[in-house]
Amino acid sequence: MTDTFQLDGVAVPFEPGQTVMQAALAADHYIPHLCYHPEFKPHGSCKLCTVKVNGRTMASCTMPAEAGLEVESEIEELNALRRTLVQMLFAEGNHFCPSCEKSGNCMLQALGYDLEVHAAGFRHQYPDRPLDASHPDILLDFNRCILCELCVRASSEVDGKNVFALAGRGNNKHLIVNAESGQLKDTDIALSDKAMQVCPVGVILPKRVGFSQPIGERRYDASPISAQALEDAPRPPSGVEHD
Amino acid sequence: MLPDANPIYGESPRCDLHADLHEIVARHCGEKTNLLQLLIEVQACAGYIPDDAASYIAAMLAIPRSRIESVASFYSFLHLKPAGEYRVLFSDNITDRMLGNQDLMEQMCRQLWVQPGKVSEDGLLSINTTSCTGMCDQGPAMLVNGHAITRLGSQRIQEIGQLIRNRTPVAEWPADYFKVENNIRRGGLILDNKLAYGQVLQATRAVAPATIIDTIKGSNLRGRGGAGFPTGMKWEACRNAEGEARYVVCNADEGEPGTFKDRVLLTTQADLVFEGMTLCARAVGAKKGFLYLRGEYRYLLGHLHAVLQRRRDSELLGESILGEQGFDFDIEIHLGAGAYICGEESALIESLEGKRGVPRNRPPFPVTHGYLQQPTAVDNVETFCQAVLALHMGAAAYRAIGTEKSSGSKLISVSGDCASPGIYEYPFGVSVRQILSDCGAVNTRAVQISGPSGICIGEHEFERKLGFEDLPTAGAFMVFDDSRDMFEVARNFVHFFAHESCGFCTPCRVGTSMLKQTMDKVAAGHGTQHDLTEIENLDHVLQTTSHCGLGRTACNPVLHTLKHFRPAYETRLKSLDFEPAFDLDGALARARQMTGRDDAGAHLKENE
Ligand SMILES: Cc1cc2nc3c(=O)[nH]c(=O)nc-3n(C[C@H](O)[C@H](O)[C@H](O)COP(=O)(O)O)c2cc1C
Ligand code: SF4
Ligand code: SF4
Ligand code: FES
Ligand code: FES
């Protein structure tokens, strides 16, 4: 018999070692998230996945599942916090969605729609973040980086290359590439790298394929992110069924 | 370990990085965990970390080059670009401000023709601010190439300017500049102890580790670093956790603005600190300990290494301590490099491992997965001292001091508006009013207890008592009299948190910097009721969703001053409900100047 915890009043089974997020997704319950990716160790930085556990707010992607926890997620209080966090991320970078190649495929944008973020909320900071177009096949548009470290993790853990890293502290934190010149062309990145596929927003883009998929026919144009995230969710190892 | 020799650094003629770099890297035996220590030495030698040095270190340590950049850029005292032969940092705590540091900094910038935050064109110097350097009782203070200078005044600034202009090496500056006073105003259990070094280790030779832990538990000792976790429980959990090795870490990061008691303990009671660490090592079964010393206190290195060596020579450290087979323990000192967040225990451990000081996800906690993922007991400097006294006196006698839930004494760092700033030791349970009277504070408007992350109390609360029952404190006690503007106090603290946020999580990275912008907007007279609402919203998000204690407490200064001193905010507000961040009329000023117009038609009407 598997243990369970309560998520918004519903019993969710979990395997030892799973976090609240992992168990919830595996059991077809959506909790908003941005820096969590089913193929990587939870990071816990965006805080979109904040839930209330026995009355205390916690990041569900890193919170180990435990039997008997009372977890609340789909409540207005938490969605209000999530909306503010999305507004913060939009205000921190330079996001001009109408002209963004990732529009429609962008998780940040999709979360904004899904959580019904209707206003800017904060003064935008308009940081100065020059592009890196040095590489023949790949463009880096740092303006949209939300510092989730997925590319850093993918490049180091999957590609074994360490092409990306984060530098600076606080408000000055930013993405850098692994080259004395500081330019992508002097790294060993390749189009086939995992790091090319994981960016939830529109920073790491292959060149010359822009807008080949028309806006309107993109991933989150079809249905909201909350209805799709479950497709990526890790399932119990084949053969193991939960009910 | 860092050498004691060559404490003076940064003057280019003395350093030949190309010759020294091999030696520096070799001394760290290619250990990745020593990356930060290695970078601190390169910085000390060359004044910055040159590109080719970074590439060389990366190659020697077999790590990606970007990691060097990533780590170095996390710490305020490390530079990847030349930052001047003389790097002047004015301590910018509110207490430095109250003592006039801003005028002094302006004076120096004028004298040396340099803008704050910029390197002079000849590369001679840069002048900037830094978070509290722990000299609040003898400020205004500064760091020059990492050396602490206290009691600044107009005359001293003038002299320093001359020394820099003449390129006099810092080693040859008057010794009086670097004098750091202890200013012990009131002693007690710790500060007046008459223990000989090694005495308690000797006395507990035959005592089983489990009994040591029982005594600490029985004494009700709670951590003095802020969180107040029961020390005995921590040691026990560490002892019982599974692991290949165990570690003891002394947290001497003392970054909370207004706190300087650990500096005085390390200066006057270093033996007690190391004895406490050694007793802890015996209790938990650790063979290795670290003292994580904030970079601002680098000047204490020579003294601390000498005490460690004396203890080794006296069989109090090293192999078979006091002849006991298998009781092996030694202590290494690691330096910080200007990052308040490294006081948070899991960030501290990351930093000890040579990484960016980003707080870890918890659980697991350091007692089970600390340094190198092994069980680790992290305690504050003062906690280790108290532990020695508790073991010396016995649990019951120790528990008899203080109050029911807060046993023992507490060192308080008093600064701000009072006649006698300095260190005061009291049994727990002392009232705020008592301390104010002892330090000679008059017309007091407010006291900031436990630093910016603590609480600000007003006059009607001065009967409250220090202790875990009422006013928990890590030791800071900043006094503000009725001439002080509590809005400016809060704004200074908000700037501090924005500067020190590690940037890992969204709410703190973005929230602290937005809070800073909004407070600056209010200070500039453009604030509205809407901004106060925004401040309250930001506070809520910070408090509920931040990853660690920094973000969760970053809103305290504003919350508390809004509660007690709301008029200080409201008198600054425009009556408008909303004020755009962009001042349209202001933007026309240039056009008016060029056309020589200043009539009503050349202005945009307000409220439109
Ligand atoms: C942002 C932040 C900064 C901290 N800075 C310090 C510090 O400078 N010194 C310290 O002893 N504890 C500091 N702490 C508390 C430590 O995380 C930890 O609780 C403490 O070192 C444990 O020691 P203790 O049990 O002896 O108090 C800080 C915590 C946070 C969240
Ligand atoms: S580039 Fe994309 S994947 Fe990488 S940190 Fe930024 S947002 Fe995350
Ligand atoms: S709360 Fe602030 S300091 Fe703490 S992890 Fe988040 S960004 Fe870093
Ligand atoms: S998804 Fe959990 S913190 Fe980002
Ligand atoms: S729509 Fe803004 S980053 Fe993609």
Side-chain angles (χ1 to χ4, degrees):
Chain A
M1 205 196 93
T2 37
D3 280 329
T4 63
F5 61 86
Q6 298 286 314
L7 175 61
D8 291 324
V10 182
V12 175
F14 67 92
E15 312 286 330
Q18 274 184 325
T19 65
V20 168
M21 170 74 74
Q22 288 165 334
L25 291 176
D28 282 336
H29 299 287
Y30 174 72
I31 300 176
H33 56 270
L34 198 46
C35 69
Y36 173 73
H37 186 294
E39 291 166 46
F40 294 92
K41 203 171 140 235
H43 193 235
S45 61
C46 76
K47 303 300 177 194
L48 257 300
C49 67
T50 299
V51 294
K52 264 186 151 176
V53 181
N54 299 347
R56 287 193 60 195
T57 45
M58 306 264 193
S60 61
C61 68
T62 50
M63 168 83 200
E66 267 175 55
L69 293 181
E70 302 272 350
V71 182
E72 293 168 276
S73 174
E74 260 319 293
I75 54 176
E76 174 50 27
E77 178 193 346
L78 290 171
N79 280 332
L81 284 172
R82 292 172 185 143
R83 271 192 286 277
T84 310
L85 291 169
V86 167
Q87 288 172 328
M88 283 177 158
L89 287 169
F90 270 111
E92 182 188 28
N94 297 307
H95 297 269
F96 305 105
C97 296
S99 63
C100 176
E101 156 57 16
K102 198 71 180 247
S103 191
N105 290 326
C106 169
M107 281 181 74
L108 180 65
Q109 186 191 46
L111 270 167
Y113 281 126
D114 211 18
L115 291 165
E116 303 186 358
V117 178
H118 294 304
F122 296 101
R123 233 163 312 138
H124 282 238
Q125 312 214 335
Y126 302 116
D128 183 22
R129 299 185 184 167
L131 307 187
D132 180 344
S134 64
H135 195 280
D137 300 321
I138 300 161
L139 173 75
L140 293 183
D141 188 342
F142 297 110
N143 288 297
R144 302 162 184 156
C145 181
I146 55 168
L147 307 166
C148 69
E149 266 180 80
L150 273 169
C151 59
V152 178
R153 294 180 272 162
S155 184
S156 124
E157 290 166 29
V158 182
D159 306 329
K161 290 186 180 176
N162 297 299
V163 169
F164 298 103
L166 286 166
R169 187 174 80 198
N171 188 30
N172 182 34
K173 192 167 102 161
H174 57 279
L175 192 67
I176 58 167
V177 301
N178 186 28
E180 191 170 317
S181 68
Q183 292 197 314
L184 193 66
K185 71 170 164 52
D186 296 321
T187 69
D188 51 356
I189 193 167
L191 277 171
S192 56
D193 283 358
K194 184 75 180 172
M196 291 298 300
Q197 299 158 17
V198 292
C199 182
V201 291
V203 180
I204 308 172
L205 300 167
K207 286 185 174 173
R208 291 180 297 278
V209 293
F211 298 98
S212 57
Q213 184 188 26
I215 290 187
E217 293 172 20
R218 298 180 167 199
R219 179 161 187 184
Y220 303 115
D221 294 330
S223 63
I225 189 167
S226 51
Q228 295 194 47
L230 299 169
E231 290 166 19
D232 302 332
R235 300 295 155 178
S238 52
V240 184
E241 284 295 319
H242 62 78
D243 40 28
Chain B
M1 214 177 287
L2 288 159
D4 291 327
N6 187 26
I8 298 307
Y9 42 88
E11 288 84 40
S12 40
R14 287 167 176 262
C15 165
D16 178 358
L17 186 64
H18 282 282
D20 290 351
L21 193 55
H22 304 278
E23 190 267 326
I24 294 174
V25 174
R27 190 150 28 78
H28 290 288
C29 334
E31 280 286 345
K32 291 182 183 110
T33 49
N34 283 346
L35 176 61
L36 175 59
Q37 303 308 304
L38 209 157
L39 292 175
I40 290 172
E41 286 193 53
V42 172
Q43 165 73 41
C45 179
Y48 75 111
I49 300 158
D51 271 347
D52 53 350
S55 297
Y56 174 78
I57 297 167
M60 294 304 288
L61 264 59
I63 54 176
R65 192 187 184 283
S66 54
R67 187 165 320 155
I68 310 250
E69 210 177 315
S70 172
V71 170
S73 59
F74 188 86
Y75 297 92
S76 296
F77 298 163
L78 301 180
H79 302 277
L80 290 157
K81 297 266 171 295
E85 280 171 51
Y86 294 86
R87 298 167 302 283
V88 179
L89 291 173
F90 280 84
S91 176
D92 201 23
N93 186 21
I94 185 70
T95 53
D96 294 286
R97 290 209 173 181
M98 283 154 53
L99 293 165
N101 74 331
Q102 286 175 303
D103 288 345
L104 295 174
M105 178 157 156
E106 210 184 294
Q107 177 195 332
M108 193 170 193
C109 287
R110 244 184 296 118
Q111 185 189 350
L112 295 167
W113 284 90
V114 45
Q115 284 185 333
K118 302 243 161 67
V119 185
S120 63
E121 270 174 33
D122 55 4
L124 179 65
L125 83 155
S126 61
I127 300 178
N128 213 334
T129 55
T130 188
S131 300
C132 178
T133 58
M135 303 290 169
C136 323
D137 57 335
Q138 46 205 301
M142 63 158 59
L143 297 169
V144 179
N145 295 354
H147 300 266
I149 299 182
T150 57
R151 290 162 289 130
L152 294 170
S154 186
Q155 167 83 22
R156 188 162 279 188
I157 290 291
Q158 181 75 26
E159 292 166 13
I160 291 174
Q162 274 306 329
L163 290 164
I164 291 178
R165 214 180 251 149
N166 298 337
R167 287 194 147 82
T168 311
V170 180
E172 291 163 28
W173 293 13
D176 189 43
Y177 291 5
F178 306 100
K179 201 155 171 234
V180 178
E181 304 285 352
N182 292 322
N183 289 335
I184 296 175
R185 312 284 184 187
R186 188 182 195 280
L189 195 57
I190 300 292
L191 294 171
D192 293 340
N193 86 81
K194 301 277 182 293
L195 294 171
Y197 68 90
Q199 184 181 333
V200 180
L201 263 177
Q202 275 283 5
T204 50
R205 267 179 75 173
V207 180
T211 314
I212 294 183
I213 288 175
D214 283 343
T215 307
I216 299 292
K217 279 167 82 176
S219 73
N220 280 344
L221 174 60
R222 292 172 68 170
R224 301 296 200 251
F229 193 84
T231 308
M233 267 174 68
K234 188 188 287 185
W235 291 11
E236 184 169 58
C238 180
R239 179 177 179 79
N240 292 340
E242 267 179 54
E244 287 145 28
R246 270 159 245 282
Y247 297 91
V248 172
V249 175
C250 176
N251 187 342
D253 197 51
E254 192 159 64
E256 192 72 39
T259 318
F260 46 89
K261 48 112 188 157
D262 292 342
R263 153 169 68 74
V264 173
L265 285 173
L266 292 168
T267 310
T268 65
Q269 303 288 341
D271 265 301
L272 205 61
V273 179
F274 294 140
E275 187 127 343
M277 290 176 72
T278 314
L279 287 161
C280 175
R282 181 134 186 282
V284 306
K287 301 230 172 293
K288 179 151 189 175
F290 292 97
L291 178 94
Y292 187 91
L293 183 69
R294 72 186 307 220
E296 289 83 344
Y297 296 168
R298 187 189 173 119
Y299 74 95
L300 288 172
L301 267 184
H303 158 66
L304 294 172
H305 279 151
V307 175
L308 285 177
Q309 193 51 49
R310 177 168 44 68
R311 292 182 72 87
R312 280 182 204 115
D313 296 342
S314 319
E315 280 200 315
L316 298 170
L317 279 178
E319 278 171 27
S320 306
I321 291 173
L322 294 173
E324 185 183 329
Q325 274 293 320
F327 183 13
D328 308 334
F329 180 67
D330 212 328
I331 297 170
E332 196 175 311
I333 302 176
H334 269 224
L335 277 176
Y340 163 69
I341 189 62
C342 290
E344 194 283 334
E345 57 185 9
S346 67
L348 185 152
I349 289 170
E350 289 283 296
S351 184
L352 273 180
E353 291 181 2
K355 303 182 198 154
R356 294 161 62 83
V358 176
R360 293 177 174 174
N361 285 311
R362 282 151 303 160
F365 293 92
V367 279
T368 60
H369 295 74
Y371 184 67
L372 303 177
Q373 298 300 319
Q374 300 303 314
T376 305
V378 184
D379 282 302
N380 174 255
V381 173
E382 185 184 346
T383 310
F384 283 117
C385 294
Q386 297 281 353
V388 183
L389 267 299
L391 287 167
H392 173 63
M393 299 166 65
Y398 185 86
R399 222 175 34 234
I401 301 167
T403 65
E404 197 194 330
K405 293 210 174 90
S406 316
S407 57
S409 67
K410 182 79 197 88
L411 268 66
I412 307 296
S413 318
V414 177
S415 63
D417 295 313
C418 64
S420 310
I423 297 294
Y424 293 72
E425 181 174 0
Y426 292 99
F428 270 119
V430 62
S431 73
V432 171
R433 195 175 299 288
Q434 180 68 49
I435 302 176
L436 286 172
S437 140
D438 291 352
C439 71
V442 288
N443 301 329
T444 305
R445 165 168 292 167
V447 181
Q448 184 76 28
I449 309 273
S450 205
S453 70
I455 55 178
C456 178
I457 60 169
E459 210 181 332
H460 60 289
E461 295 171 290
F462 290 170
E463 291 308 330
R464 292 180 66 179
K465 296 179 165 55
L466 300 191
F468 298 105
E469 298 93 331
D470 185 6
L471 285 174
T473 177
F477 191 99
M478 291 185 269
V479 183
F480 304 99
D481 71 18
D482 58 10
S483 71
R484 303 298 175 185
D485 176 350
M486 295 312 290
F487 171 82
E488 280 303 327
V489 173
R491 192 161 77 95
N492 174 267
F493 293 163
V494 164
H495 276 245
F496 164 76
F497 285 120
H499 181 70
E500 297 297 344
S501 164
C502 82
F504 175 74
C505 69
T506 310
C508 174
R509 182 182 68 243
V510 189
T512 53
S513 94
M514 285 180 166
L515 201 54
K516 169 174 135 175
Q517 283 176 12
T518 309
M519 290 292 278
D520 287 352
K521 185 181 168 193
V522 173
H526 297 297
T528 63
Q529 203 59 47
H530 175 83
D531 290 299
L532 290 196
T533 315
E534 179 174 300
I535 285 174
E536 278 162 357
N537 183 21
L538 283 169
D539 285 345
H540 179 60
V541 178
L542 274 165
Q543 211 169 30
T544 47
T545 63
S546 291
H547 182 62
C548 82
L550 190 154
R552 289 191 183 234
T553 55
C555 48
N556 285 355
V558 178
L559 285 179
H560 298 154
T561 48
L562 262 176
K563 185 167 143 216
H564 295 313
F565 308 102
R566 203 174 178 98
Y569 288 73
E570 285 176 341
T571 51
R572 286 185 159 80
L573 300 185
K574 288 210 163 185
S575 53
L576 304 165
D577 222 25
F578 176 76
E579 167 93 352
F582 181 71
D583 178 3
L584 271 177
D585 187 58
L588 288 177
R590 223 179 113 81
R592 280 193 296 269
Q593 200 189 358
M594 289 193 314
T595 53
R597 281 181 61 181
D598 200 20
D599 54 292
H603 283 277
L604 289 169
K605 282 190 220 108
E606 292 240 333
N607 285 331
E608 263 187 13

